[in-house]
Each structure stands twice: as C-alpha cells, then as structure tokens.
Amino acid sequence: MGSPRPSELTSCKQRLWIAGSSRLLSSDVGQLLEGGYKTCGPVSSIHPAGSGLQASYLSSYSLVCWSPTRHLLCTAAEMVSPAIALAFIPFLVTLIIRYRHYFLLFYRAVLVRRLQDCLTGLSREERAFQYVLTHAIPGDPQHILETFDQWCYHCEYLSNVGPHKGKILDRLIYETTPLTVLELGTYCGYATILMAQCLPMGARLYTVEMDPRNAAVAEKVIRLAGFDEDTVELIVGTSEEVIPQLKEKHGLLKADFVFMDHWKRCYLRDLQLLEAHGLLLKGTTIVADNVVFPGAPHFLQYVKTCATGA
C-alpha cells in the first residue's frame, strides 16, 4: 500500500511531527505548506522533486509530515474524542446524583444568597431576622427556633446547629446543668437561644462573635427571645482576643460547659487558650460542632491524646 499524498489527507486537522526515519518528497513538502501546515523550524535539507528527503531535525526543530500510520492515528483521534466525551456523561450523572446535597447547598448558600443580597440590599442574616420578627412569637424561645428552621427549609440556608443536632445539645445541657456556659461563634443566636432556654436558674451564658454585623442580628434575636444581659452576655470580638479577658473583664472565672461553633481552624488554638488561662476545670464539658466536615483534625487528635493521658 503506497503512502497517501498530502492532498488525500486534507481532512486531518492534527499536526504530526516528522521522525528521524521519515522520508518524503520535496514536492510533498510544498503541498503541505500550501495546505496551511507550517514548519516549526528549519529542517537540515530538502532534496529536489523525485528524490528522498531525510528529515533529521536538529534539537527541537521539526516539520509536519504525513505517513499512513500517523494518518490512521489522526483519523482515530477524530473518532475517539466524541466517544470519550460520551463516556464521561454517565460519570457526571453519577457524580451529580451522589453529591446532589452539596450542589444544592452551593446553590442555596452561594448563588441564591448573592442574588438576594443584590435585590434586597440586606445580608442573609438580616433577612432571616426580618422573617423571624414577622412570624415568631416574642418571648417564646422555642417558637423563634422553629421559625428559624422554617426560614432555612423554605427560604435560604443558614449555618445554624439545626433541630437534629440541637436535640443533642439540648440533652447535654439538661444532663450537665452548667452554671456557666461559654459559646464561641454566636452567628445569628440560634444555638445561644437553644442553650439559654435549658439553663438552670441563676446560670449565665457568655457568647462570643467576631463579626459585628452577625453580632447585631444575634443581639436582637436573643432579646426577642426574652433573655436579658444577666442571662446571656454577647461579646463582640475574636476568640483569640476575648478569651484572655474573660476573667478580668467579663467575670467568667471558669466554664462548666463550652460550645465551639466558629472557625474550625481555631478550635485547637482556643481550647489551649482556655486551658492556659485556667478557664477549664475538671469536669468541664466541651462540645465542638463540624469536627468531621469541614473538619478539625488537629483538634480531634489533641483531644484524643489528652483523653488517653499520653
């Protein structure tokens, strides 16, 4: 079978580079260049028409050339590309089905949020408070929590503890009956209200929020639920700055119960800060949310090490 002429291979869109053992006629080279193929650099020599061309290119210089084998490869590439694309469709469908909850979360937490921010001029947390203010019963903590849940289910996503994990937190507060509770990460005040309604008489809850805008919303939500400053004290600032001041400035001598629900990378640092300032005593209960996902591996390792006494 003879080698195809360049004119027979014009349908091939791939560029094939000449190898040291390839040979072609100088007339073929002319047709290739006329067909829109370009050299990538000078070739050692091009012989007259009818003679063979030994294309021993120098270093990285090369010339586009044709050969039956490469023509077949080029044609196969044109046929395989759509097949590869079609093969990925079942994989993509499986991926979407398997991780549909995360795609839905991204849609509601990011796309819908930004759209609503532009349309209303309010933050998501402020919109949630407006909904609670309109639909909840003032002074009824449980009804305010349920109104928050309705907002999250039917309107927009909020990264609250939620009713399912809320039951665990609720049970822990009832079982331990702490007199002093420290919450790191107030956000909109959902968990704050949840814990405050379970506290025994005379107990006090200190909650720390670093974002002033979220703190302003949480303050209104907490007071709407009926908790005054003697029961719930909201402290605005980063945990790294607030923890060293808790004893002298806020009168928290020790924490019977600590709930962490702020930046996961700060869990270990803040736990060690609490230990260093003598705020954790024997019997203190520490609860940390989302330690598996998004995850706080260093915090978990430290807690496990302390538990084993290593």
Side-chain angles (χ1 to χ4, degrees):
M1 175 179 176
S3 299
R5 308 299 295 173
S7 58
E8 299 173 359
L9 303 172
T10 53
S11 63
C12 183
K13 303 301 182 184
Q14 303 292 331
R15 291 186 175 183
L16 302 173
W17 306 104
I18 193 166
S21 60
S22 300
R23 301 176 65 86
L24 70 159
L25 302 179
S26 59
S27 59
D28 295 344
V29 175
Q31 292 183 41
L32 289 172
L33 296 179
E34 291 174 1
Y37 292 88
K38 299 178 180 179
T39 59
C40 187
V43 181
S44 57
S45 61
I46 297 180
H47 297 277
S51 62
L53 167 64
Q54 180 65 39
S56 56
Y57 57 84
L58 304 176
S59 65
S60 62
Y61 296 110
S62 54
L63 176 71
V64 175
C65 82
W66 300 103
S67 74
T69 304
R70 288 177 180 170
H71 171 55
L72 292 175
L73 290 174
C74 182
T75 305
E78 293 178 342
M79 297 175 61
V80 170
S81 297
I84 293 176
L86 291 174
F88 271 98
I89 292 178
F91 171 75
L92 291 175
V93 172
T94 303
L95 193 67
I96 292 172
I97 293 175
R98 182 173 182 179
Y99 297 102
R100 62 190 181 278
H101 300 295
Y102 297 105
F103 287 114
L104 180 61
L105 179 62
F106 174 78
Y107 169 75
R108 295 185 62 190
V110 179
L111 300 182
V112 173
R113 175 183 183 177
R114 291 185 178 180
L115 178 61
Q116 292 293 339
D117 287 350
C118 295
L119 293 177
T120 63
L122 299 173
S123 68
R124 177 178 56 178
E125 292 75 22
E126 290 170 332
R127 292 193 297 273
F129 172 70
Q130 293 297 328
Y131 182 88
V132 170
L133 188 62
T134 304
H135 296 83
I137 301 174
D140 188 340
Q142 188 58 40
H143 194 264
I144 289 176
L145 294 177
E146 292 172 358
T147 306
F148 261 119
D149 294 335
Q150 290 175 4
W151 164 266
C152 294
Y153 289 145
H154 304 294
C155 299
E156 296 180 60
Y157 171 79
L158 286 176
S159 55
N160 291 324
V161 173
H164 301 296
K165 288 189 288 186
K167 292 179 181 179
I168 300 174
L169 191 59
D170 188 54
R171 188 187 75 245
L172 289 172
I173 292 290
Y174 275 121
E175 290 176 354
T176 57
T177 60
L179 293 178
T180 53
V181 176
L182 175 63
E183 178 188 22
L184 300 178
T186 314
Y187 191 43
C188 292
Y190 184 101
T192 309
I193 295 174
L194 180 70
M195 292 187 291
Q197 69 176 349
C198 303
L199 292 177
M201 291 293 295
R204 186 173 174 83
L205 190 153
Y206 301 81
T207 181
V208 181
E209 173 56 44
M210 65 173 292
D211 190 329
R213 295 171 299 178
N214 291 343
V217 173
E219 178 81 27
K220 292 182 284 189
V221 171
I222 293 168
R223 305 312 168 209
L224 183 67
F227 300 109
D228 57 21
E229 294 184 359
D230 292 332
T231 304
V232 178
E233 180 179 349
L234 176 61
I235 306 169
V236 182
T238 63
S239 56
E240 187 178 16
E241 297 172 348
V242 171
I243 289 174
Q245 302 174 355
L246 285 174
K247 281 189 176 181
E248 292 77 11
K249 190 174 180 179
H250 301 282
L252 177 61
L253 300 180
K254 68 180 183 68
D256 298 323
F257 191 97
V258 178
F259 178 55
M260 295 184 173
D261 193 16
H262 55 320
W263 291 106
K264 314 315 165 195
R265 64 174 181 268
C266 300
Y267 279 12
L268 177 58
R269 182 201 68 192
D270 291 346
L271 177 61
Q272 293 173 335
L273 274 175
L274 291 170
E275 290 177 324
H277 288 84
L279 292 167
L280 301 181
L281 301 178
K282 185 177 181 180
T284 297
T285 302
I286 300 172
V287 180
D289 193 17
N290 299 322
V291 293
V292 176
F293 180 83
H298 299 296
F299 170 82
L300 284 177
Q301 183 61 39
Y302 181 80
V303 171
K304 291 177 181 177
T305 303
C306 294
T308 57

